[in-house]
Amino acid sequence: MAAVSKEEIMRIVEEYDKKDIRIATVCSHSSLQIFHGARVEGFKTIGIAISKKPRFYDAFPLAKPDEFIIVDSYEEIMDIEDELIERNAIVVPHGSFVEYLGHKNFMEFRVPTFGNRRVLEWESDRDKERLWLESAGIKMPRKIESPEKINFPVLVKYDGAKGGKGFFIAKDYAEFKIGIDYTKKYTIQEYILGTRYYLHYFYSPIDNSGYRLSRGSLYLMGIDRRDESNIDEMYKLGSQEELKKYGLFPSFVVTGNVPVVIRESLLERVFEMGASVVEKSFELFGGMIGPFCLESIVTDELEFRVFEISARIVAGTNLYIGGSPYTEMIEKDMSMGRRIAREIKNAIALNMLDEIIS
């Protein structure tokens, strides 16, 4: 089956009852925030649960979906397309949804989806991602073409959104061979020393307030850092080199998130980077829509190096369901999940859903 076309999606949307649009997503990742934000903006919600309804939603009644659809696996989400369409659903994709449904299925999925699906091709392929970011003027860590040439600290990363799982540091070819899984596509980047900041943006093609671009507006919604297992605790046991003798190797699996406010003098560069990435996206694939995150390192020279982009809502925004220090200066209690719902609500009112879904 070929990728679903924008024209087909719009034909489906034309049949929707615009007074009964429902917001749907998979019960994982940032779904509590998405459902909560949708409810605040007046939408009914649909939780897609794998195997069974998660019990923990009962503990958060303001974020519990109005209804659940149970499937046995992520692949079976493809079998409930008609059911979602009958409910006037707009799907909000998050990291787990896209990673586990799979690129091919996501592109063929017939349910109207918030954002531009074409971004996935540029985000999930490390070479295309680098082309996009560097052509937008973003500085990135150097790419190492041959593992045999590793003679300084590097970070080895696999393609796709995996919450840091499988990433590892190597300082030479011998360490690379110990850690690598040759069955997966990987990229080798120089390891940059500095502080890591995950910058949460929202781009609206239909809103003309805020930080103006050539078309639409850009918002900074929040910033986080990430707790990672086991790298964040290994220092307590001594030298990593010594620990490797005992078979203990650092890993970067994200287990939680920590709020951050960046020094104010860096905000201008934060907005410049976000704006240039969005502007370049118009040229490459018709434009990015909604939330995205520039995953960056700030060096002791106060220079940014962006090592990755996530072109959808990231789990770090879960810190700010009641709003962040930045959104507090835009609108009280504005989370990323609520901002997505607000964009859908505004697009319905302006008859501009074609600008924000695919």
Side-chain angles (χ1 to χ4, degrees):
M1 184 184 294
V4 65
S5 67
K6 179 69 174 283
E7 292 73 22
E8 181 177 353
I9 291 295
M10 291 316 301
R11 282 195 296 271
I12 291 170
V13 171
E14 284 299 317
E15 300 297 320
Y16 274 12
D17 179 354
K18 304 304 190 297
K19 295 180 180 178
D20 191 30
I21 296 287
R22 301 182 179 219
I23 292 179
T25 196
V26 170
C27 297
S28 179
H29 191 270
S30 47
S31 62
L32 282 169
Q33 179 192 167
I34 292 167
F35 296 138
H36 177 265
R39 175 170 292 197
V40 172
E41 290 298 313
F43 289 100
K44 296 291 187 180
T45 55
I46 303 169
I48 304 168
I50 310 300
S51 299
K52 61 181 180 180
K53 183 180 76 172
R55 286 185 61 198
F56 70 83
Y57 280 91
D58 294 333
F60 305 105
L62 297 182
K64 184 178 179 180
D66 292 288
E67 62 176 311
F68 289 91
I69 298 176
I70 313 296
V71 295
D72 289 333
S73 66
Y74 275 90
E75 291 75 16
E76 286 194 12
I77 293 174
M78 302 298 289
D79 298 333
I80 62 169
E81 291 173 325
D82 291 339
E83 193 171 350
L84 289 167
I85 290 169
E86 287 171 5
R87 284 168 165 76
N88 306 304
I90 293 177
V91 166
V92 176
H94 51 58
S96 296
F97 186 101
V98 174
E99 176 66 19
Y100 299 119
L101 183 64
H103 180 280
K104 181 175 180 292
N105 284 339
F106 182 62
M107 297 305 292
E108 294 174 358
F109 192 51
R110 291 175 46 250
V111 182
T113 298
F114 181 75
N116 183 356
R117 301 185 207 207
R118 291 184 60 198
V119 71
L120 183 61
E121 175 187 351
W122 289 84
E123 173 205 20
S124 61
D125 183 296
R126 299 291 184 196
D127 293 331
K128 285 194 168 186
E129 176 187 59
R130 179 171 288 271
L131 173 62
W132 174 13
L133 294 177
E134 290 187 336
S135 64
I138 302 297
K139 293 183 178 179
M140 298 186 70
R142 245 183 330 133
K143 182 180 178 182
I144 312 305
E145 299 293 347
S146 173
E148 289 83 2
K149 295 181 179 179
I150 298 173
N151 58 7
F152 52 85
V154 299
L155 183 65
V156 183
K157 306 170 65 176
Y158 299 109
D159 283 10
K162 298 178 175 62
K165 187 175 179 60
F167 294 3
F168 66 95
I169 296 172
K171 294 187 293 299
D172 52 38
Y173 183 49
E175 290 189 356
F176 171 84
K177 289 193 294 184
I178 292 173
I180 195 62
D181 180 351
Y182 286 104
T183 68
K184 300 176 182 177
K185 189 176 180 181
Y186 63 87
T187 298
I188 308 172
Q189 295 179 348
E190 67 173 318
Y191 189 86
I192 302 291
L193 283 176
T195 47
R196 285 172 295 155
Y197 295 129
Y198 296 78
L199 311 171
H200 315 151
Y201 300 89
F202 186 94
Y203 166 67
S204 169
I206 65 174
D207 191 339
N208 291 319
S209 62
Y211 190 92
R212 293 293 304 280
L213 305 189
S214 63
R215 181 164 64 94
S217 295
L218 181 69
Y219 298 88
L220 177 66
M221 302 294 289
I223 305 172
D224 81 289
R225 296 189 67 180
R226 297 180 180 177
D227 279 337
E228 295 171 329
S229 181
N230 55 24
I231 186 68
D232 287 340
E233 294 295 318
M234 287 196 77
Y235 73 92
K236 294 179 180 178
L237 297 178
S239 164
Q240 287 187 19
E241 295 307 308
E242 289 297 316
L243 293 174
K244 288 177 182 178
K245 296 177 183 178
Y246 299 98
L248 298 175
F249 295 87
S251 59
F252 298 83
V253 178
V254 178
T255 58
N257 304 80
V258 181
V260 170
V261 173
I262 203 166
R263 60 188 291 176
E264 191 167 313
S265 60
L266 295 175
L267 283 174
E268 187 64 35
R269 182 57 186 149
V270 168
F271 276 99
E272 289 172 352
M273 291 191 303
S276 63
V277 168
V278 174
E279 297 283 5
K280 179 56 67 170
S281 76
F282 298 152
E283 174 188 328
L284 294 176
F285 52 84
M288 196 160 42
I289 301 165
F292 67 99
C293 177
L294 292 182
E295 305 183 5
S296 68
I297 298 168
V298 180
T299 71
D300 56 5
E301 298 294 325
L302 299 182
E303 294 183 345
F304 283 89
R305 296 289 186 274
V306 174
F307 56 89
E308 192 167 329
I309 182 171
S310 294
R312 64 186 58 80
I313 187 171
V314 294
T317 61
N318 289 336
L319 289 163
Y320 304 121
I321 292 177
S324 78
Y326 298 105
T327 60
E328 190 71 12
M329 295 181 283
I330 303 170
E331 181 175 340
K332 190 172 178 61
D333 299 330
M334 182 58 71
S335 68
M336 187 70 84
R338 184 180 177 187
R339 185 62 185 83
I340 292 169
R342 174 73 60 81
E343 189 80 351
I344 295 170
K345 186 177 180 178
N346 289 345
I348 293 169
L350 295 168
N351 195 28
M352 296 179 72
L353 278 173
D354 61 310
E355 294 287 335
I356 67 163
I357 63 172
S358 63

